[in-house]
Every structure is written in structure tokens, then in C-alpha cells.
């Protein structure tokens, strides 16, 4: 009985000491989606990309390298550098300009006249580069690269020309 109590006391001590250690910060891949797309007078498309931080710590997002594919067409490059601190489980938006292919413009024109009843599928994929917020965790200086993929639809915004969500 005495040995059992000593063994139980050692197990309890080990559990208590483990709980006193530094808190582990879980870092998870963010979610990237197109929040809005506007056709600029130059013909370029301005994408408002929403970055949703899914980590238990604030993250500093620095760049995106990827591609946008409309319907089954040829993908175009999506690339931008920025400095965006996003707190835990929060989101923010970054603007990216892309040059569409003629096929992408044709697909857009096909749904433009349909109003909110028209929709165009897209796939956005690539890599987002970031690192944990150094103010929250000065000991965690490891940059992170997360792959992302987003599949959804763009539809014309009623009453707002050249704008799609």
C-alpha cells in the first residue's frame, strides 16, 4: 500500500510539472478565398483576397505565390508581397491585381448579363509565406510556408458594375 501511494504521488508530481511548462502554440494553415473581384478600367482584375488565420497565435503574413484558374481554363499567376499582422482566429484582406486571359474575360462576360443568377467557378491555389507574431512569441522565429487551395464561385454583384463576389 505504501508503494502504491508513493507511485501515485510521483505520477501526480509529474503531471503537475508538465502542466507548469511553457504553453504550446499550435499553428495551422490559413484559409484564403476571393472576397471580391473588380474589373479595372485597364482590364486587369483586382482580387480582394481574404486571409483567415486559423492558428492559436497571431501571424505575420508576408507574401502569396499562386495561381487563379477560372472554369477549366489556363491558370494565371497570383503573386504579391505585403506585411499583414493577423491576430488569432481573425481575418484580413489584401489586394492583388491579375491579368486575365482572353478566355477568362469571355467567361466573365458570359455571366455578367445574368446578374446574381450567373456564377463562374474558380480555383485559387498556391503558397502563403508567414511567421508567428514575434510580439506574442519572441522565441518562435521560424518562417512558415503553407499551401492553400480554394474552390468556389464568383457571381455579379447586383447594382455594382464590374464587381463580383
Amino acid at each position: 500500500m505504501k508503494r502504491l501511494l508513493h507511485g501515485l504521488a510521483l505520477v501526480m508530481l509529474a503531471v503537475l510539472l508538465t502542466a507548469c511548462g511553457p504553453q504550446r502554440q499550435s499553428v495551422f494553415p490559413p484559409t484564403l478565398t476571393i472576397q471580391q473581384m473588380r474589373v479595372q478600367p485597364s482590364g486587369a482584375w483586382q482580387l480582394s483576397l481574404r486571409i483567415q488565420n486559423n492558428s492559436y497565435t497571431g501571424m505575420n503574413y508576408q507574401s502569396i505565390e499562386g495561381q487563379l484558374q477560372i472554369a477549366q481554363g489556363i491558370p494565371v499567376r497570383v503573386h504579391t508581397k505585403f506585411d499583414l499582422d493577423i491576430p488569432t482566429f481573425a481575418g484580413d484582406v489584401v489586394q492583388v491585381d491579375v491579368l486575365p486571359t482572353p478566355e477568362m474575360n469571355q467567361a466573365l462576360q458570359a455571366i455578367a448579363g445574368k446578374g446574381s443568377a450567373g456564377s463562374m467557378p474558380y480555383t485559387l491555389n498556391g503558397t502563403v509565406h508567414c511567421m508567428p507574431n514575434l510580439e506574442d512569441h519572441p522565441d518562435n522565429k521560424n518562417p512558415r510556408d503553407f499551401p492553400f487551395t480554394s474552390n468556389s464561385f464568383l457571381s455579379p454583384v447586383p447594382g455594382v458594375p464590374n464587381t463580383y463576389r
Side-chain angles (χ1 to χ4, degrees), residues 15 28 35-36 40 55 82 92 94 98 106 112 126 133-134 144 151 156:
V15 168
F28 296 101
Q35 182 169 313
Q36 179 173 285
Q40 302 297 313
S55 297
F82 50 91
D92 209 339
V94 64
V98 297
Q106 288 174 353
N133 191 325
L134 294 178
R144 305 283 181 116
N151 297 305

Side-chain angles (χ1 to χ4, degrees), residues 21-130:
Q23 188 178 22
R24 184 172 175 232
Q25 296 298 319
S26 298
V27 177
F28 296 101
T31 305
L32 276 80
T33 56
I34 297 176
Q35 182 169 313
Q36 179 173 285
M37 192 270 295
R38 291 185 54 91
V39 178
Q40 302 297 313
S42 66
W45 292 3
Q46 183 182 60
L47 304 176
S48 296
L49 298 181
R50 178 170 179 76
I51 303 172
Q52 179 68 40
N53 182 8
N54 296 323
S55 297
Y56 284 92
T57 184
M59 300 289 283
N60 177 264
Y61 293 90
Q62 301 161 341
S63 67
I64 296 170
E65 296 176 31
Q67 57 186 14
L68 171 66
Q69 183 177 15
I70 299 295
Q72 300 300 320
I74 298 172
V76 295
R77 183 174 186 232
V78 176
H79 176 78
T80 188
K81 291 186 179 195
F82 50 91
D83 186 20
L84 196 59
D85 283 323
I86 302 179
T88 303
F89 297 115
D92 209 339
V93 176
V94 64
Q95 306 294 328
V96 182
D97 289 337
V98 297
L99 296 174
T101 64
E103 293 80 15
M104 292 170 72
N105 280 324
Q106 288 174 353
L108 191 65
Q109 292 302 319
I111 67 163
K114 296 180 181 178
S116 60
S119 66
M120 177 174 65
Y122 76 84
T123 299
L124 178 68
N125 59 26
T127 303
V128 61
H129 306 283
C130 58

